[in-house]
Amino acid sequence: MRRGWRTILPLLVVCVSLTACGAPRATGAGARVDPSSAVLVSVLADAIYLVDPTTGHRVPLVTGLDDFRSGYAAWSPDRGSVVYADRGIWVLDLATGQRRRLADGEGLSAPTPSPDGRRIAYRDGTRVWVLRPRAGGARPLSLPRDVAALGLAWGPDGTLAFGGLALRCDRFGTCLSTERSEIYVVRPDGSGMRRLTRAGHAERPKWSPDGRLLLFVRRSPERTGVGGELWVVGADGRGARRVRGLRGVVAADWSPDGDRMVVVRQDTPGTLQVLVARADGLGARPVGEPLPGSDATVDW
């Protein structure tokens, strides 16, 4: 039996269909987690969780992820399925518990569905690919060879944002990573690429629901392995500012209505804490117990 199927089967033993049994049942206290309002937390090289943003109750969707490129779970536009990476790109149907491989490859990661659900963008280490699941096949975006795409986020207007790692390339075509990364936007046909930040090390962009702002994490290259600061920048690259009061952040996202944000930050060594705050970052409160892990992504 394949490892990925084994990780999902325990959920199916408890409940053959999430529709038949209601929302997934959380561990402890008999509470339920409603997918329509839940947060997806992907602890890298570990597991993907469905987390209730009010109670903190959580249920694992996929476990046994053992690669730092695995996880990166993202909601489909109708929140009926979850797309994630695990030595390929997979879609998990929450109504049936069934999953389907959309693309195969060891280095594939960071999938993000388009707003209309017809396309999925993902990366393979340096390149960005756009897949049309119904049509089959994927095509690469044309990006400069000295920029490697990291985390991706598809905006409400169809624009892709990504963390772009600066590469140092020689005349023979060999490229090496640097410590610099910035937030870029590009159209899904590869045109109109623009840099939005000058932060030194910016990553994990997330669009606001109205498409006017992007959250991102700014890290200090000198403090590798330590969470960073949470920043926001306009879609036009203007008005970059730090969200005060939040440090040690590894990932963040806005709520679907834009009134709140969810933040994952490093807690004690080897643990991560999920917090919910107002859209301006104030009033942050922890939800649930800390998760084991050192890095994560989040999608609300």
Side-chain angles (χ1 to χ4, degrees), residues 28 39 51 54 65 90 92 131 143-144 171 173 180 190 221 246 283-284 286 299:
V39 175
V51 179
T54 301
L65 302 175
W90 297 83
L92 171 64
L131 169 71
L143 299 178
R171 60 191 180 90
R180 304 187 312 277
L246 294 170
D299 193 48

Side-chain angles (χ1 to χ4, degrees), residues 13 83 129 133 245 248 267 285:
V13 170
V83 182
W129 296 79
D267 195 60
R285 61 174 182 84

Side-chain angles (χ1 to χ4, degrees), residues 129-142:
W129 296 79
V130 177
L131 169 71
R132 293 181 180 268
R134 293 184 180 179
R139 61 176 181 79
L141 261 64
S142 178

Side-chain angles (χ1 to χ4, degrees), residues 255-295:
S255 62
D257 60 10
D259 290 340
R260 294 174 292 167
M261 64 172 63
V262 61
V263 177
V264 180
R265 72 178 182 190
Q266 294 181 331
D267 195 60
T268 57
T271 66
L272 300 166
Q273 179 66 59
V274 179
L275 304 98
V276 172
R278 292 181 351 206
D280 58 7
L282 298 179
R285 61 174 182 84
V287 291
E289 297 297 318
L291 286 161
S294 59
D295 201 1

Side-chain angles (χ1 to χ4, degrees), residues 29 34 38 44 82 124 140 142 148-149 160 163 172 181 198 201 228 264 274 292:
D34 181 0
L44 304 189
V82 172
D124 68 358
S142 178
L160 278 165
F172 302 106
S181 62
R198 296 182 181 275
H201 192 100
V264 180
V274 179

Side-chain angles (χ1 to χ4, degrees), residues 2 86-90 101-108 122 131:
R2 293 182 60 86
D86 184 18
R87 291 181 168 82
I89 305 300
W90 297 83
R101 191 198 298 267
L102 302 178
D104 191 14
E106 284 281 326
L108 305 188
Y122 59 88
L131 169 71

Side-chain angles (χ1 to χ4, degrees), residues 141 143 153 155 157-164 182-188 190-197 205 207 211 213-214 233-237:
L141 261 64
L143 299 178
D157 68 347
T159 301
L160 278 165
F162 64 93
E182 301 291 352
I183 304 302
Y184 294 83
V185 293
V186 66
R187 299 189 186 99
S191 65
M193 179 172 157
R194 293 182 293 117
R195 184 174 69 179
L196 298 187
T197 64
W207 291 94
L213 301 170
L214 288 112
V233 66
D236 59 1

